[in-house]
Amino acid sequence: MLTRIDHIGIACFDLDKTVEFYRATYGFEVFHSEVNEEQGVREAMLKINETSDGGASYLQLLEPTREDSAVGKWLAKNGEGVHHIAFGTADVDADADAIRDKGVRVLYDEPRTGSMGSRITFLHPKDCHGVLTELVTAAPPAATDH
């Protein structure tokens, strides 16, 4: 069962400049940053608030590290802006299977590693009224403690 909006993904050309805009304009600070080589992005997660299920809601700012990444291709075609919406779930595998059974294309056969050690998959935007949709199961708290 989907429990919350986990994050809104925003594609940008310059991560540092975009982070500074959100910090200066709204007071949002970087909660976590990383480079995801598999996805070909450098990202910053800006925490917006805590949620009742123990998770949080974020803005995820994404800068491609290579032109052939999904975000790089998307930016070349669309420019900066909202790239996707992500819903939190306790079980990405079960929810992806249930949604697949309803005729929605799930883009990965098996979930992949996402931000902060999460498990993720995406739903095809053509099956979701034009919105690239991500399903996210957060990593257990011990996995994100450093």
Side-chain angles (χ1 to χ4, degrees):
M1 175 176 83
L2 305 181
T3 58
R4 63 186 151 71
I5 294 175
D6 184 87
H7 66 270
I8 306 291
I10 300 172
C12 61
F13 291 111
D14 183 328
L15 184 65
D16 297 328
K17 183 177 175 182
T18 306
V19 164
E20 179 54 26
F21 168 81
Y22 281 95
R23 188 203 60 72
T25 305
Y26 306 115
F28 298 152
E29 297 294 338
V30 174
F31 177 78
H32 176 83
S33 61
E34 68 181 84
V35 174
N36 185 320
E37 295 293 342
E38 180 182 10
Q39 301 288 325
V41 295
R42 188 168 77 104
E43 63 181 82
M45 297 293 274
L46 310 178
K47 186 186 277 188
I48 307 306
N49 67 318
E50 303 289 334
T51 61
S52 63
D53 67 356
S57 293
Y58 303 91
L59 288 179
Q60 179 187 44
L61 306 178
L62 301 159
E63 175 189 49
T65 59
R66 56 183 198 267
E67 290 179 14
D68 69 340
S69 71
V71 172
K73 291 175 185 176
W74 190 90
L75 267 171
K77 181 178 177 183
N78 301 292
E80 293 184 307
V82 174
H83 179 262
H84 67 274
I85 186 168
F87 294 109
T89 172
D91 189 341
V92 69
D93 298 275
D95 283 334
D97 287 344
I99 291 169
R100 184 183 288 115
D101 289 345
K102 294 176 182 177
V104 175
R105 287 174 281 179
V106 178
L107 298 183
Y108 304 151
D109 290 333
E110 295 291 326
R112 297 182 181 179
T113 301
S115 298
M116 300 182 287
S118 63
R119 297 187 72 237
I120 65 166
T121 195
F122 286 89
L123 309 178
H124 200 292
K126 289 184 178 178
D127 297 343
C128 299
H129 297 272
V131 178
L132 179 61
T133 303
E134 182 179 5
L135 305 179
V136 179
T137 296
T144 59
D145 294 340
H146 289 76

